[in-house]
Every structure is written in C-alpha cells, then in structure tokens.
Amino acid sequence: MINDQAQSVPPVRDEAPSVTGSDVGRIVAGLLVLVFAGVTGLFAPLMVMASDSCSEGDARMICSAGTQQIVGGLPVGAAFVAALLAVVGMSSRHAGAVGCLLAAPGLLVLSWVVSLALAGS
C-alpha cells in the first residue's frame, strides 16, 4: 500500500554562503587589529620602566605610584577591549562591524598616546 498523501520533503541544498571581498577585508582588518592589540598588551606596559630613574622627592609625574599603575594597566585593558571589538567586527555582517573595526585601533592608539605622555612627563 502506497501512501499518496505523504508530506513532501524540501530538497537538501549543499550550498555554502558565498564569501565576498568585503568579508575577506573585514577578516584581514580584524586580524591586523588583533596583532596590534597583542603588541600593545605585551610591550606598552613596559613604559613603566621610565620610572627607573626616579629618586626620592622627584616631582615628575611618572614617579608617582598612581601614574605607574595607569601606565602599566591602561594598555592591557585597552588591548583586551580592542581584541573583543576586533572579534565582534570580524564575526558580524552588520553595519556596526565596521564601527567596531575602526574603534579598536583608535582605542589602542589612544592608550599608547596617554601612556607615552604620562611616561614622558
């Protein structure tokens, strides 16, 4: 006995979503930002060594403990946030992805500028 009233099953499609040039560009930009974040997180905190020449009573800004903590911690925090922004920017296809990929290096550059300004003063 054949069941003529069987439900039709939709065909299985074996198509992968196409990868466009903008997807590749977004991924390459995200990987570059991740490298920049890694370099920032590893090497920017070494600017605290600018305080090596501090002596007792030195009035330079880098000679205070609070400034040393900012110079050491700010780049690490900025690198972490920038890495998150880069991953979100690479994985999303929305308009906000480009904003994330633009904000991440801006955050890293800002952390370098602030740390260098504090270490140099």
Side-chain angles (χ1 to χ4, degrees):
M1 181 167 187
I2 299 174
N3 188 359
D4 291 332
Q5 297 177 356
Q7 296 178 357
S8 64
V9 178
V12 176
R13 295 186 180 173
D14 193 23
E15 298 174 5
S18 64
V19 177
T20 62
S22 63
D23 292 338
V24 172
R26 193 178 65 243
I27 291 170
V28 168
L31 290 174
L32 289 173
V33 170
L34 285 174
V35 168
F36 187 25
V39 168
T40 299
L42 288 174
F43 296 113
L46 297 177
M47 287 186 272
V48 173
M49 290 193 298
S51 67
D52 285 349
S53 64
C54 292
S55 60
E56 190 175 330
D58 201 339
R60 291 183 300 156
M61 201 172 202
I62 191 63
C63 294
S64 72
T67 303
Q68 291 174 6
Q69 289 177 347
I70 291 170
V71 170
L74 179 68
V76 174
F80 179 75
V81 172
L84 288 177
L85 287 171
V87 170
V88 168
M90 285 191 302
S91 64
S92 177
R93 290 187 177 207
H94 298 285
V98 175
C100 288
L101 287 175
L102 292 175
L107 180 66
L108 293 171
V109 168
L110 181 65
S111 73
W112 276 97
V113 167
V114 170
S115 293
L116 284 171
L118 291 173
S121 63

